Amino acid sequence: MKLTQHTVRLTLTEPLRISRSTMTARDAVRLTVEHDGLSGHGEAVTSVFYGLDTRTLQRLAARTGESLARFAGPETALHALRVGELLPPGTPAAVTAAAEAALLDLVGKRTATAVHRFLGSPVAPRAATARTISLTSPGRAAAQARALTDAGFSVIKIKAGDPDHESDLDRVRAVRAAAPSARLLLDPNGAWTVGQARRLLPRFADLGVEAVEQPVAPGDPEALARLAARSPLPVVADEDAVSYEDARRLAGRVHGINVKLAKCGGVHAALRIAALIEGSGTDLMLGCLTASTLGIAPAVHIADRARWTDLDGHLLLAHDPWTGIGGDDGFVHVTGHPGLGVRPRAEAGSWSEAS
């Protein structure tokens, strides 16, 4: 097998402002695994929060290629990845997830099987995805909410964490007035202290917010669990729930865990977490980083496991170089084509996303 890589710049349609940063673009490194005339693709994106810059991802992609060259085919390589024998210890989860995606895509194409089928879902998943509204003025947030609901979105995620807490409340009020039937999620990205969260969460609950992600700074999961026990609305762990062990410590103690493939290590790692928390009182949320359709697609193949689906990273881009999972109408879906079911946008004319 041979691995090649290609880096592209993903520019957002407008800046995404959250409590700790503002992002306008990021790089995506595509991993392509070739074997017997077929190719499988995966994607890893840069992340300041996870300490992954472009050169680091490119270096790790090259190292992944050296590891893959030892294997006769993608099936054996995929098995080795699952048991921790493909990549060196300490390989970032985002790179593991990208390598896994490329191998799954290739194995699916070799067997003419959509990835979701050999992950245990006979029916192609289709899920309503949240769409994010960043830290912006109440008026701008209301206009975006109206446009989103007109397009078909039924779930809206509102970023919070403004130093002026009343501004956050005004933004949620504006979105609620503009989209009275939408399900609202709130994400302060860990901006509040425990005391602030205790004071603010009842007020957001009164506005009809359905759940809140990581309201307090990560690093003290016990504090998050104590907050969840007294919260008037569901608390979802995000930055405090990166690994399987993180999820084990929080299972049954928070209302949800936001699983992102780039932070846990791919779909099989995500499914392990889903199995771990099943029946514990902690529900699964599927989240993502801002990425192309290629980067989001693996999570769509397991979207039927989640209570909350937040897979809108590709919808934030000015130009998505890939196509195949939809989302513009508020729903992400699997096409049923072999592998991940996505293709470069330039090649998409030969098949229909709706088929």
Side-chain angles (χ1 to χ4, degrees):
M1 288 188 297
K2 176 184 176 183
L3 183 144
T4 58
Q5 59 173 289
H6 179 68
T7 302
V8 298
R9 189 71 167 166
L10 302 178
T11 302
L12 278 65
T13 302
E14 60 181 57
L16 177 63
R17 181 184 168 217
I18 65 175
S19 60
R20 62 174 178 256
S21 64
T22 299
M23 183 176 63
T24 59
R26 72 184 345 150
D27 285 344
V29 177
R30 184 186 75 225
L31 279 59
T32 297
V33 181
E34 302 173 48
H35 184 67
D36 285 348
L38 294 173
S39 299
H41 308 283
E43 178 182 274
V45 295
T46 55
S47 170
V48 174
F49 186 79
Y50 292 110
L52 295 174
D53 59 25
T54 306
R55 289 189 177 182
T56 298
L57 285 178
Q58 291 169 338
R59 174 178 57 80
L60 292 169
R63 191 173 72 177
T64 299
E66 295 170 359
S67 297
L68 284 170
R70 307 195 315 263
F71 293 88
E75 293 83 3
T76 55
L78 185 59
H79 174 75
L81 183 146
R82 292 176 187 171
V83 299
E85 297 176 356
L86 173 64
L87 300 176
T91 298
V95 176
T96 302
E100 180 197 51
L103 291 169
L104 285 169
D105 191 33
L106 182 53
V107 171
K109 290 171 180 175
R110 280 165 59 84
T111 59
T113 304
V115 164
H116 68 88
R117 289 189 175 273
F118 50 75
L119 294 178
S121 295
V123 178
R126 180 177 184 268
T129 181
R131 183 68 156 77
T132 300
I133 293 178
S134 68
L135 289 176
T136 187
S137 68
R140 175 66 175 152
Q144 290 178 332
R146 279 191 291 269
L148 290 172
T149 54
D150 287 347
F153 285 87
S154 59
V155 187
I156 297 175
K157 183 163 88 168
I158 308 165
K159 289 294 186 179
D162 194 296
D164 178 4
H165 299 150
E166 292 301 323
S167 178
D168 285 339
L169 288 156
D170 288 344
R171 188 178 310 107
V172 173
R173 288 190 192 98
V175 170
R176 171 53 73 210
S181 62
R183 298 166 57 198
L184 302 185
L185 306 176
L186 190 71
D187 187 6
N189 288 105
W192 300 335
T193 66
V194 171
Q196 289 169 339
R198 286 176 177 164
R199 291 191 297 271
L200 289 168
L201 289 180
R203 300 179 69 185
F204 285 110
D206 289 343
L207 294 174
V209 170
E210 180 176 318
V212 58
E213 290 181 58
Q214 196 69 43
V216 296
D220 189 352
E222 293 300 315
L224 184 69
R226 289 193 296 270
L227 178 67
R230 299 173 58 182
S231 174
L233 53 81
V235 171
V236 179
D238 184 355
E239 289 90 344
D240 266 329
V242 174
S243 67
Y244 180 88
E245 286 304 310
D246 293 337
R248 184 183 60 78
R249 283 190 290 269
L250 287 170
R253 305 178 67 205
V254 293
H255 304 92
I257 289 178
N258 186 349
V259 172
K260 298 174 182 174
L261 304 191
K263 72 176 183 179
C264 74
V267 292
H268 284 94
L271 291 175
R272 285 188 70 217
I273 293 174
L276 169 72
I277 64 177
E278 186 175 5
S280 70
T282 297
D283 290 312
L284 179 69
M285 181 179 195
L286 272 177
C288 66
L289 303 182
T290 303
S292 78
T293 282
L294 174 61
I296 305 297
V300 178
H301 282 266
I302 59 172
D304 52 346
R305 270 81 161 187
R307 174 178 174 182
W308 300 284
T309 301
D310 181 22
L311 299 177
D312 68 337
H314 62 305
L315 303 177
L316 307 181
L317 303 179
H319 172 69
D320 184 351
W322 293 79
T323 187
I325 59 172
D328 289 329
D329 61 351
F331 292 86
V332 288
H333 59 82
V334 170
T335 62
H337 290 282
L340 292 175
V342 301
R343 292 191 182 181
R345 191 168 292 276
E347 301 175 8
S350 62
W351 56 280
S352 167
E353 286 190 16
S355 63

